[in-house]
Amino acid sequence: MRPQDNRAWFLVLPALALLGLVGALPLLAVINYGFHDIFTLQDVFWVGPQWFADILQSDRFLASLGRSLLFSTLALGIQVPLGIGVALLLLTYGKRAVWGLMLVALPLVVPWNMIPMFWLGLIQPETGLLGPSLAAIGFDWKFTGWHTWALILVVDTWHWLGLVVVLAYAGLSAIPPAYMQAAAIDGASPWATFRFIQLPRIAGALAIVFLLRFVDSFMIYTEAFAINAGGPNDATRFLTLELGEEIKGFSYGQAAARATLYFLIVLAVVWAFVATTREREG
Amino acid sequence: MRHLGIAALAVFILLPLVQAILLSFTATLPTDAVAAGSIGLMNYGNVLAEPELRAAMLNSLIYVVLNVALCISIGLPAAYALARYRFTGDRHFLLMILAFRVTPPVVLSLPIFILFSQFGLVNSPVGIALVHCLFNLPVAIWILESFIRAVPREFDETAYLDGHTGPSFFFRHLIPQIAPGIGVAAFFCFIFSWVEVVFARILTVTGGKPITMAIQAMFSFQTDIGMVMAMTCLSLVPGVAMIWFVRNHLARGFTLRA
């Protein structure tokens, strides 16, 4: 058991100060802006909760919220099982698995704004490696809503699968061999081994994967904007695209109110997640 | 069967990269000297001949090195405190760093810009290095904490008995002991920082542009896509090198601490 010692705060203090500067201070500022109408930094008027009321009552906000939630659900639903599957597969390769880990980690070091460019180049009908065959089967990401969705999901999966695989593999390879031997002696099926031995042992790794993938997919902007800017017909208009429009239109008060709402949504999900995790751990 | 799965995965991951690498060696914008479609190193030559692009690479390297150094040096004491002691509010601290890790950058971009312009940190790699600590410091703390926790407490006590306390304990004993952890933390800080675009965009208005923004600026009415891809491929080199250096420790990963 770790001893209680409040002097440990001195070691935490630098981290706290830095996060206060780049996190807490801007966060307070953004909440404050959300209650003001901002023409210039000198012309600021108090409007109270008006922006919040406007946003919450608009149908467009609710529709975007629905789309973003659906996107996150799909992204997590695809990437987490797929990532665990790949990690389990890599586990059977022993020492050679490190090559697989390096492979899936590659997309993580590609600049975010170039990831959509890579894929758009790949599916370009005339010159892309996949372009002609996709065009032949009638894949039309520009004007068919669900094709755009599929493309963004594929791009997002390509980008982030590596993180899921690396963290899941880390959890799986840390399981003492004795656990697996015991399961083998008991004649446990692969599914039972996974469900009752491996899955509980990687819960901590999966929890962070879930949270990181949730926020990043829920707040997807770079890929979604570059691929179809919310189109066709607003089919991929996610929450962040609306925020981007307001910032570009210099509606800073509205943008701040919207940003505050997004932060509260994310915080609520994270808090609910942590609360259930702590409860389960007891 | 399992080889087939791995092969499919490799194709999926490598296909966009292969396309980009092919394009980077292809002349896509014909000039008097080079016909479109010819193969060669001209795109790389063009990139390296451009002073702005060279400056962008340097800017990126400066901010990312600064960010990693900040996150490790500030994260290490905090991680040590969390791994070795209980203190009033430790769980709240963990919850707070988790909250900051998951705060979407776009939420904070506007006040960060206003705040940093008052401190003169706009258009400078230092500003980007500082603000990226928002999501990297928590990751560094989680990773370092798990590595320190794996070192038995007796290790600390032996060092104390030898008369090593404070900085000398950290530098002479703890850091060599958890060197792989520092590598892994540096790796994850690197991958989240090197490729980030939201803060990098808002904090570099006129100058100090990192690679990501320099690439963005290369798109115009007549984009030389081959040159863009050459620049992108060059931007992958440090990342690939990082992956190579930490390959044997990559599998330590990090877990939720809350």
Side-chain angles (χ1 to χ4, degrees):
Chain A
M1 195 62 200
R2 289 164 297 142
Q4 173 93 20
D5 191 342
N6 276 330
R7 281 175 304 172
W9 268 111
F10 286 110
L11 295 171
V12 178
L13 221 49
L16 200 65
L18 185 59
L19 287 175
L21 176 73
V22 299
L25 212 56
L27 197 58
L28 290 178
V30 91
I31 294 170
N32 180 36
Y33 295 158
F35 290 96
H36 290 85
D37 197 354
I38 301 171
F39 294 103
T40 67
L41 284 180
Q42 281 73 42
D43 280 322
V44 176
F45 298 98
W46 172 262
V47 292
Q50 188 197 327
W51 302 137
F52 292 92
D54 286 354
I55 295 166
L56 288 174
Q57 281 160 9
S58 87
D59 294 337
R60 286 172 78 88
F61 169 73
L62 292 177
S64 302
L65 178 65
R67 279 190 285 267
S68 282
L69 284 174
L70 178 63
F71 182 77
S72 278
T73 312
L74 289 173
L76 284 168
I78 294 169
Q79 293 162 14
V80 173
L82 188 61
I84 296 174
V86 172
L88 285 170
L89 193 58
L90 286 178
L91 215 56
T92 63
Y93 280 86
K95 276 203 172 350
R96 282 176 299 161
V98 75
W99 292 97
L101 291 179
M102 288 198 288
L103 176 76
V104 291
L106 277 179
L108 292 174
V109 301
V110 179
W112 288 14
N113 48 353
M114 286 313 291
I115 287 175
M117 298 304 149
F118 277 19
W119 279 89
L120 290 181
L122 192 64
I123 62 169
Q124 225 273 325
E126 289 89 35
T127 57
L129 290 173
L130 291 182
S133 37
L134 280 177
I137 59 166
F139 184 77
D140 175 24
W141 51 272
K142 267 213 165 105
F143 298 106
T144 311
W146 76 269
H147 288 179
T148 313
W149 271 77
L151 180 61
I152 299 178
L153 277 170
V154 168
V155 172
D156 193 62
T157 303
W158 183 80
H159 184 178
W160 288 109
L161 186 65
L163 188 72
V164 184
V165 173
V166 168
L167 296 185
Y169 182 87
L172 288 170
S173 60
I175 299 174
Y179 282 66
M180 305 301 286
Q181 286 154 6
I185 291 167
D186 289 347
S189 69
W191 168 250
T193 313
F194 174 72
R195 173 65 190 82
F196 296 106
I197 294 176
Q198 292 175 313
L199 196 59
R201 299 284 295 194
I202 60 171
L206 287 186
I208 197 69
V209 164
F210 250 97
L211 285 181
L212 291 183
R213 283 313 301 131
F214 166 72
V215 256
D216 286 339
S217 59
F218 190 64
M219 290 281 121
I220 185 170
Y221 181 79
T222 316
E223 285 102 334
F225 186 78
I227 284 176
N228 219 346
N233 270 329
D234 290 350
T236 54
R237 220 179 118 89
F238 299 120
L239 288 172
T240 42
L241 272 75
E242 294 197 330
L243 182 58
E245 280 167 19
E246 281 177 349
I247 294 178
K248 281 178 195 156
F250 304 105
S251 314
Y252 292 138
Q254 288 98 314
R258 195 179 281 280
T260 308
L261 280 178
Y262 294 0
F263 175 72
L264 290 176
I265 297 172
V266 168
L267 202 63
V269 171
V270 170
W271 184 80
F273 193 86
V274 170
T276 47
T277 312
R278 280 184 180 173
E279 202 165 288
R280 208 186 31 179
E281 284 171 0
Chain B
M1 179 58 204
R2 63 190 185 127
H3 294 312
L4 213 64
I6 293 290
L9 178 73
V11 170
F12 174 60
I13 298 285
L14 291 176
L15 208 53
L17 294 168
V18 167
Q19 168 100 53
I21 293 168
L22 285 179
L23 273 175
S24 78
F25 288 108
T26 313
T28 49
L29 204 64
T31 60
D32 298 336
V34 191
S38 50
I39 306 295
L41 285 169
M42 56 284 185
N43 291 321
Y44 288 91
N46 291 344
V47 165
L48 294 174
E50 195 84 50
E52 271 183 34
L53 297 181
R54 287 206 307 266
M57 292 176 201
L58 190 65
N59 285 332
S60 271
L61 281 176
I62 292 174
Y63 91 70
V64 91
V65 168
L66 211 58
N67 174 262
V68 169
L70 260 175
C71 288
I72 302 286
S73 57
I74 292 183
L76 194 58
Y80 184 78
L82 288 165
R84 287 291 191 250
Y85 301 103
R86 284 180 301 131
F87 47 92
T88 315
D90 48 359
R91 297 190 89 176
H92 297 98
F93 178 80
L94 282 168
L95 198 59
M96 185 198 75
I97 63 173
L98 175 65
F100 281 132
R101 177 59 189 80
V102 298
T103 302
V106 66
V107 166
L108 297 180
S109 53
L110 185 63
I112 287 273
F113 175 74
I114 295 169
L115 187 72
F116 277 36
S117 56
Q118 276 162 0
F119 290 127
L121 288 171
V122 172
N123 296 334
S124 116
V126 182
I128 305 180
L130 274 177
V131 74
H132 281 183
C133 289
L134 178 70
F135 43 79
N136 274 347
L137 189 56
V139 172
I141 292 177
W142 292 333
I143 296 173
L144 293 172
E145 199 254 10
S146 81
F147 275 84
I148 296 172
R149 198 180 275 264
V151 177
R153 170 173 286 288
E154 289 73 31
F155 175 82
D156 298 19
E157 281 154 10
T158 319
Y160 291 151
L161 287 180
D162 291 343
H164 289 287
T165 50
S168 112
F169 165 71
F170 266 92
F171 286 106
R172 303 273 299 278
H173 288 262
L174 190 64
I175 290 178
Q177 190 68 25
I178 59 158
I182 292 179
V184 174
F187 170 74
F188 280 103
C189 289
F190 175 91
I191 61 166
F192 289 124
S193 176
W194 182 257
V195 293
E196 200 272 347
V197 287
V198 174
F199 285 131
R201 175 179 298 135
I202 201 121
L203 285 176
T204 54
V205 186
T206 52
K209 286 193 188 301
I211 290 182
T212 43
M213 291 303 107
I215 294 175
Q216 198 79 34
M218 289 166 81
F219 285 94
S220 64
F221 178 62
Q222 256 205 329
T223 306
D224 187 349
I225 199 75
M227 197 167 150
V228 171
M229 289 304 172
M231 182 71 180
T232 309
C233 290
L234 285 177
S235 82
L236 301 184
V237 172
V240 174
M242 280 296 280
I243 293 179
W244 180 256
F245 286 136
V246 297
R247 65 187 184 283
N248 289 323
H249 304 291
L250 208 57
R252 277 296 295 264
F254 54 92
T255 53
L256 178 69
R257 295 277 303 122

